[in-house]
Amino acid sequence: MIIIDNDGTISLYQGDSGEITIDGLDSSANYTIYFAITDKNRNLVGNELQVVANNTDTVTFILASEFTELLSVPHNKNYEIYYYGIKACTSGDEPTEDTLFVSGSFYGDVNRIIVYPRKVKGA
């Protein structure tokens, strides 16, 4: 399960799967939306995820358990903090790249992901 607070902070357990929905896109532009996670040293964790909006105002990223498994928590800590970014891009004659802000955030703010250690391994 993935929980997203009003300020855009994401909380999850390592290895859990879930969805992150981005809405409010300009449906007149055919965006490709990118989602990336970095560690405290700005190293990319896993690969950037991407979804084509197909002229809709909403896209959903599926975070598979294999992807969130990469978000490790040291044994001596109760949680680990990662960071994420979202970018909307268009292609064509005049390509654009715009970093998106989550609700309640401002230019220069960081978008946090709080990862808790796995509670149970499961299937």
Side-chain angles (χ1 to χ4, degrees):
M1 172 188 281
I2 295 175
I3 297 171
I4 304 174
D5 292 345
N6 290 336
D7 68 355
T9 298
I10 297 171
S11 298
L12 59 90
Y13 286 102
Q14 180 186 8
D16 277 8
S17 58
E19 299 180 352
I20 296 174
T21 299
I22 310 300
D23 55 15
L25 301 171
D26 177 0
S27 61
S28 68
N30 190 22
Y31 290 114
T32 300
I33 309 297
Y34 295 87
F35 177 87
I37 298 175
T38 59
D39 64 17
K40 62 185 174 191
N41 297 315
R42 297 185 185 167
N43 296 312
L44 185 65
V45 177
N47 294 318
E48 285 189 358
L49 304 178
Q50 68 181 40
V51 176
V52 178
N54 290 321
N55 294 96
T56 61
D57 64 350
T58 303
V59 297
T60 300
F61 288 97
I62 307 296
L63 274 60
S65 60
E66 296 83 10
F67 184 71
T68 67
E69 187 67 36
L70 301 172
L71 305 172
S72 62
V73 180
H75 290 289
N76 62 338
K77 294 181 80 175
N78 292 329
Y79 60 88
E80 184 70 10
I81 297 178
Y82 290 86
Y83 304 94
Y84 71 94
I86 304 166
K87 185 173 269 197
C89 301
T90 61
S91 58
D93 294 337
E94 295 182 30
T96 62
E97 291 192 19
D98 294 314
T99 299
L100 301 180
F101 295 100
V102 294
S103 177
S105 67
F106 299 97
Y107 205 89
D109 286 353
V110 293
N111 303 321
R112 299 180 331 143
I113 300 178
I114 301 172
V115 180
Y116 296 94
R118 178 187 310 100
K119 294 278 186 184
V120 63
K121 178 81 171 157

